[in-house]
């Protein structure tokens, strides 16, 4: 299941106190990493009836691989959002059939081969939001804020390109809305594990993000950990609904 | 006031076990790493197998049965944080496996129907009917596990259902099988 | 075509109506098996003559897997294809389980 998307597990958005703040931080302690893994497993299992494994992953058997790094969103110390980053094996390369040559071609087209190479690639994945916090703009804000270099470039001294795999509606509602541009690589092959996720009307594809030029600086340069007011997050979400989102991608 | 319903062959025939083991789990642990179901079943089966002469045969059967029962308890836990338990009791002549989990009322009613059919209908016919039915539907659970346990190991199956105040149902599921199903009695061969 | 994981192997022999399952198969749902067995289903459709499915070295399989196997049996049934399942007497669960699949398709043969 892929890159970036939000899932709804609770029927009603919760009324939350606007004076609260959301802390966004990278999971570093073992307890934080496990919290993120289990949170993702719980939501994916409830929405898509799939299970996880850290040592055997096979999309045709509805077994998903866990990401290598995690970022968490906490309100009052409670985990309400999480996302992962593959830094070793990427989903898009392993299951999406994308080769390094295809990635390098895109990097060259963007005149960025002096900074980036397909040898250094990562993948943003498994964005989940607790059901009763859905519909408040938290997911979209968390998505944007976690495209900070603090997270994307963790444990790396050189810049990495970012891969993503999602259905087209997610590229529109999250990436374009957040001013994160994506470059289409190719359609994602059909796997059993995605049957409850995408549809012919809303197919999945693999895309490339060249962070320094594709991610709006306000997000790429956002320092993490950081605390953000829920009131501002909600106002921002309301404003975005009025604004027409930018182009989907090119 | 909680309501209690007994279904199928609930009465335990075990009053004093030789071997007894009880484990508690967070179902999410097993969803987060699915191989843990098989791992727990294998561990308990290996543990118990020393009580048998043919340890590898006993391991294979006990693990198969335990895995089935544990997978059900995990799948039918409506909140994957609410702990489930698995208890194994062995008297020498009988093996009893008990699980406790909290499920939705719908799942609990399906279990009642399934156990009623298992205890009243021809098990071979029921097995074939279930295969035909599952083949024609796109269900995530096969519904075959309990039928197989009765058919293959002549297990007695029963459950106690306790309606909780939150509208959910606590299910205590019990399986009893004769150890003759695991290895032939001395002198019977 | 051969699929090998740390847990199990599915080996469909080229140009021969023979597939072998070995290891431990405890996937989470019938849907998961549906996809794991897809190569066998294709192979069954692409070959001719009596088809042999060798499970003798499959040490464990859960009931979702029995459902998965029964779908292969039903595929053979709908094509009136001869199907032989090779089991092992030394794997106890197999002794217990496979006989009943013949009720699904009387032409199914179970061999040791």
């Amino acid at each position: 299941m892929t890159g970036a998307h939000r899932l709804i597990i609770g029927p009603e958005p919760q009324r939350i106190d606007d004076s609260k703040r959301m802390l966004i931080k990278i999971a570093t302690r073992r307890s934080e990493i496990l919290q993120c893994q289990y949170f993702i497993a719980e939501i994916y299992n409830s929405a898509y009836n799939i299970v996880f494994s850290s040592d055997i992953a096979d999309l045709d058997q509805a077994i998903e691989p866990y990401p290598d790094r995690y970022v968490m969103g906490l309100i009052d110390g409670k985990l309400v959002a999480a996302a992962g980053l593959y830094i070793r094996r990427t989903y898009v390369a392993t299951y999406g059939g994308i080769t390094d040559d295809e990635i390098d071609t895109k990097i060259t087209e963007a005149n960025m081969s002096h900074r980036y190479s397909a040898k250094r690639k990562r993948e943003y994945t498994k964005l989940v939001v607790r059901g009763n916090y859905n519909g408040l703009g938290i997911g979209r804000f968390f998505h944007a804020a976690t495209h900070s270099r603090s997270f994307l470039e963790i444990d790396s001294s050189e810049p990495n390109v970012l891969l993503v795999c999602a259905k087209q509606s997610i590229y529109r509602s999250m990436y374009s809305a957040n001013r994160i541009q994506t470059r289409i690589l190719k359609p994602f092959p059909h796997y059993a594990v995605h049957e409850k996720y995408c549809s012919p009307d809303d197919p999945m594809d693999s895309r490339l993000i060249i962070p320094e030029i594709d991610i709006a600086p306000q997000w790429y340069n956002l320092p993490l950990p950081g605390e953000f007011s829920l009131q501002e997050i909600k106002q921002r979400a309301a404003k975005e609904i009025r604004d027409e989102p930018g182009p989907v991608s090119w | 006031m909680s309501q209690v319903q007994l279904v199928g062959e609930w009465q335990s025939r075990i009053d004093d076990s030789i071997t007894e083991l009880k484990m508690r789990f967070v179902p999410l642990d097993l969803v987060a790493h699915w191989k843990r179901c098989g791992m727990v079943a294998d561990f308990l089966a290996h543990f118990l197998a020393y009580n048998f002469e043919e340890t590898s045969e006993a391991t294979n059967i006990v693990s198969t049965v335990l895995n089935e029962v544990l997978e059900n308890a995990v799948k039918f836990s409506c909140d994957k944080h609410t702990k489930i338990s698995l208890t194994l009791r062995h008297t020498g002549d009988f093996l009893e496996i008990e699980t406790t989990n909290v499920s939705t009322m719908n799942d609990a009613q399906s279990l009642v129907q399934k156990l009623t059919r298992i205890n009243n209908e021809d098990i071979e016919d029921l097995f074939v009917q279930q295969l035909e039915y599952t083949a024609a539907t796109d269900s995530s659970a096969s519904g075959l596990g309990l039928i197989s346990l009765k058919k293959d190991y002549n297990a007695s199956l029963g459950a106690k259902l306790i309606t909780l105040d939150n509208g959910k149902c606590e299910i205590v599921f019990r399986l009893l099988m004769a150890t003759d199903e695991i290895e032939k009695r001395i002198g019977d061969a | 075509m051969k699929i090998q994981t740390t847990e199990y192997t599915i080996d469909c022999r080229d140009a021969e109506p023979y597939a072998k399952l070995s290891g431990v198969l405890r996937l989470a749902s019938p849907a998961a098996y549906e996809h794991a067995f897809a190569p066998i289903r294709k192979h069954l459709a692409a070959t001719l003559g009596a088809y042999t499915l060798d499970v003798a070295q499959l040490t464990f399989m859960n009931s979702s897997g029995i459902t998965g196997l029964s779908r292969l049996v039903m595929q053979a049934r709908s094509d009136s294809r001869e199907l032989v399942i090779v089991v092992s007497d030394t794997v106890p669960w197999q002794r217990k389980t496979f006989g009943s699949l013949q009720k699904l398709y009387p032409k199914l043969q179970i061999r040791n």
Side-chain angles (χ1 to χ4, degrees):
Chain A
M1 206 105 337
T2 84
H5 55 279
R6 284 187 295 163
L7 302 157
I8 298 168
I9 54 170
E12 297 283 331
Q14 180 170 296
R15 283 180 191 284
I16 49 169
D17 180 354
D18 282 0
S19 66
K20 291 189 189 302
R21 299 171 78 78
M22 174 162 67
L23 169 66
I24 299 182
K25 62 179 289 200
I26 292 162
T28 52
R29 298 170 59 187
R30 186 44 49 183
S31 58
E32 293 170 337
I33 292 163
L34 280 177
Q35 263 192 75
C36 291
Q37 283 187 343
Y38 279 42
F39 182 40
I40 291 168
E42 181 184 12
I43 291 185
Y44 271 60
N45 183 255
S46 108
Y48 303 117
N49 199 31
I50 59 170
V51 296
F52 276 79
S53 173
S54 50
D55 51 358
I56 41 163
D58 186 333
L59 301 197
D60 268 338
Q61 290 168 32
I63 295 179
E64 281 274 342
Y66 278 112
D68 305 303
R69 297 286 179 270
Y70 300 88
V71 62
M72 53 209 302
L74 301 131
I75 297 175
D76 282 341
K78 189 181 175 195
L79 187 64
V80 300
L85 192 69
Y86 292 116
I87 65 172
R88 298 190 189 100
R89 232 165 55 127
T90 66
Y91 201 88
V92 165
T94 312
Y95 303 106
I98 304 292
T99 63
D100 279 2
D101 283 349
E102 288 167 302
I103 295 169
D104 277 327
T105 302
K106 286 278 172 198
I107 295 171
T108 307
E109 278 170 19
N111 292 321
M112 288 303 282
S113 39
H114 59 293
R115 293 285 293 154
Y116 291 95
S117 155
K119 289 193 178 62
R120 298 186 308 277
K121 55 184 176 295
R122 295 178 160 195
E123 183 173 334
Y124 187 93
T125 187
K126 312 246 169 344
L127 170 61
V128 290
V129 177
R130 198 172 289 285
N132 47 5
Y133 285 87
N134 238 305
L136 301 169
I138 287 177
R140 190 151 41 165
F141 179 81
F142 183 78
H143 174 262
T146 53
H147 278 73
S148 155
R149 67 169 86 221
S150 308
F151 179 51
L152 302 181
E153 300 295 353
I154 185 171
D155 297 333
S156 176
S157 52
E158 290 182 286
N160 293 268
V161 287
L162 194 64
L163 296 164
V164 62
C165 163
K167 52 186 181 181
Q168 289 177 1
S169 57
I170 294 293
Y171 289 115
R172 278 194 301 274
S173 63
M174 304 289 266
Y175 285 84
S176 300
N178 281 329
R179 306 291 190 265
I180 297 169
Q181 282 166 323
T182 55
R183 300 158 192 265
I184 297 172
L185 288 161
K186 65 163 92 147
F188 202 78
H190 175 267
Y191 287 105
V193 74
H194 301 127
E195 273 169 7
K196 291 187 180 169
Y197 172 64
C198 61
S199 67
D201 296 341
D202 193 5
M204 288 165 64
D205 55 38
S206 300
R207 299 192 185 187
L208 178 75
I209 294 166
I210 302 176
E212 289 176 6
I213 55 173
D214 290 344
I215 301 174
Q218 70 182 112
W219 303 128
Y220 193 52
N221 297 326
L222 187 76
L224 292 183
E227 276 203 290
F228 307 93
S229 138
L230 292 187
Q231 194 175 7
E232 280 167 34
I233 291 173
K234 282 169 77 174
Q235 281 166 356
R236 182 179 173 273
K239 181 176 175 295
E240 273 165 2
I241 290 163
R242 286 198 305 274
D243 291 350
E244 201 51 35
V248 177
S249 66
W250 66 85
Chain B
M1 236 340 246
S2 59
Q3 251 185 311
V4 177
Q5 184 183 4
L6 303 180
V7 201
E9 301 192 37
W10 167 255
Q11 282 309 317
S12 176
R13 267 175 270 173
I14 291 195
D15 32 52
D16 199 13
S17 50
I18 293 172
T19 298
E20 181 159 336
L21 271 163
K22 180 166 183 167
M23 295 177 105
R24 287 180 87 209
F25 307 88
V26 180
L28 186 54
D29 267 328
L30 309 184
V31 166
H33 294 277
W34 187 247
K35 268 171 76 178
R36 283 174 170 161
C37 276
M39 205 180 260
V40 167
D42 285 344
F43 163 72
L44 291 174
H46 280 295
F47 185 97
L48 193 70
Y50 291 112
N51 290 6
F52 294 84
E53 185 168 308
E54 297 293 337
T55 52
S56 74
E57 290 235 340
T59 304
N60 191 274
I61 293 177
V62 174
S63 177
T64 299
V65 173
L66 274 168
N67 185 64
E68 215 56 62
V69 172
L70 183 58
E71 281 190 10
N72 274 350
V74 172
K75 284 183 187 170
F76 296 112
S77 286
C78 55
D79 173 2
K80 302 287 191 242
H81 295 279
T82 304
K83 291 185 183 66
I84 59 176
S85 72
L86 173 68
T87 309
L88 189 64
R89 296 189 190 95
H90 182 229
T91 64
D93 296 332
F94 290 100
L95 172 64
E96 187 178 84
I97 300 167
E98 191 178 288
T99 56
T100 306
N101 68 289
V102 174
S103 79
T104 61
M105 205 49 91
N106 261 349
D107 283 342
Q109 286 316 313
S110 306
L111 177 68
V112 170
Q113 285 167 12
K114 178 134 289 174
L115 287 175
T116 307
R117 293 192 69 182
I118 286 174
N119 285 307
N120 292 295
E121 294 179 28
D122 180 84
I123 199 68
E124 290 280 352
D125 289 348
L126 198 54
F127 179 79
V128 174
Q129 280 175 37
Q130 184 66 40
L131 288 179
E132 298 276 7
Y133 172 78
T134 321
T137 53
D138 185 29
S139 61
S140 59
S142 66
L144 198 69
L146 299 184
I147 298 171
S148 295
L149 294 176
K150 164 87 176 190
K151 178 182 80 69
D152 295 344
Y153 307 104
N154 196 26
S156 307
L157 310 175
K160 180 163 80 174
L161 283 72
I162 305 154
T163 307
L164 304 175
D165 291 341
N166 61 6
K168 308 291 183 206
C169 186
E170 182 178 274
I171 297 173
V172 186
F173 171 82
R174 199 177 271 169
L175 173 150
L176 184 84
M177 63 189 276
T179 47
D180 292 357
E181 295 292 333
I182 299 172
E183 67 179 6
K184 285 196 176 72
R185 232 178 278 195
I186 302 285
D188 269 6
Chain C
M1 165 173 201
K2 191 171 179 176
I3 294 161
Q4 196 154 13
T5 74
T6 51
E7 301 277 284
Y8 64 85
T9 304
I10 296 177
D11 185 5
C12 299
R13 284 203 194 141
D14 289 343
E16 201 185 328
Y18 176 95
K20 184 174 176 169
L21 292 174
S22 51
V24 174
L25 264 168
R26 281 171 164 170
L27 309 184
S29 65
Y33 279 98
E34 195 59 14
H35 297 280
F37 289 169
I40 304 178
R41 233 182 352 268
K42 272 191 208 153
H43 191 240
L44 181 59
T47 51
L48 294 170
Y51 195 90
T52 301
L53 189 60
D54 183 351
V55 299
Q57 287 174 42
L58 192 59
T59 50
F60 286 105
M61 188 164 72
N62 58 9
S63 63
S64 296
I66 304 297
T67 301
L69 275 186
S70 74
R71 288 179 179 174
L72 295 173
V73 173
M74 285 184 232
Q75 183 182 338
R77 182 179 70 181
S78 68
D79 300 341
S80 289
R81 181 81 176 271
E82 273 184 69
L83 179 64
V84 181
I85 298 184
V86 179
V87 300
S88 167
D89 243 357
T90 62
V91 183
W93 72 267
Q94 295 191 358
R95 262 196 329 251
K96 303 269 187 183
T97 298
F98 279 98
S100 310
L101 287 179
Q102 276 172 321
K103 292 210 168 61
L104 212 53
Y105 183 32
K107 276 168 80 175
L108 170 68
Q109 293 180 55
I110 308 289
R111 278 195 207 143
N112 268 298

